[in-house]
Amino acid sequence: MSENTSECEARWPAHLNHQKFNDKVIELSEWGQKVPATTESFWLNDRTIVIKRTGVFVEIEKELIQAGYTNELKEVKKPLELRMIHRSSLESLIDGKITDRLFSGISQETKGIQCSSCSRKSNSLSGTRFQT
């Protein structure tokens, strides 16, 4: 899976495994859609992770986007994505809980950006933290 993952290690807290997090995002993407062409994640701070995936939409999603149903697609996908996150071990990889998906950007180029809100299990992080 590593060949699909960019190197964005600089801002991730040293005690968290950035590569394992990206690998889990790829696994979840495959379950819900398909394996992304690229996956990047950025640790902005203790409460915010941005995940960028490209080449992830299946044909029905592309058709909905092209027909102008982007907002409807985002609304339908939000609860599905949160369920996927909570059923996986993704939260254990950030030592916290993902409490919400703050926004999701979708474009016709099969790209999307997701920003997730997190709550920390502890305040021991020393660093800062997803689809287009």
Side-chain angles (χ1 to χ4, degrees), residues 24-104:
K24 181 55 78 171
V25 169
I26 292 167
E27 181 183 317
L28 290 172
S29 298
E30 181 177 25
W31 180 84
Q33 293 168 301
K34 64 181 185 179
V35 173
T38 63
T39 300
E40 298 175 273
S41 58
F42 306 91
W43 185 280
L44 299 184
N45 57 50
D46 286 351
R47 295 175 39 106
T48 309
I49 299 170
V50 175
I51 300 168
K52 177 182 176 184
R53 299 177 297 158
T54 62
V56 72
F57 297 127
V58 295
E59 292 305 313
I60 188 70
E61 292 171 309
K62 292 177 190 178
E63 290 295 322
L64 288 167
I65 293 165
Q66 189 168 8
Y69 292 101
T70 304
N71 289 334
E72 291 83 352
L73 181 60
K74 285 193 268 187
E75 285 303 311
V76 169
K77 289 182 69 166
K78 182 175 181 174
L80 170 66
E81 290 172 349
L82 285 172
R83 277 195 312 274
M84 288 170 44
I85 288 168
H86 293 135
R87 289 180 182 164
S88 73
S89 60
L90 191 62
E91 294 175 323
S92 68
L93 298 173
I94 61 166
D95 190 32
K97 182 168 180 57
I98 297 173
T99 56
D100 197 8
R101 192 185 77 172
L102 300 177
F103 71 82
S104 178

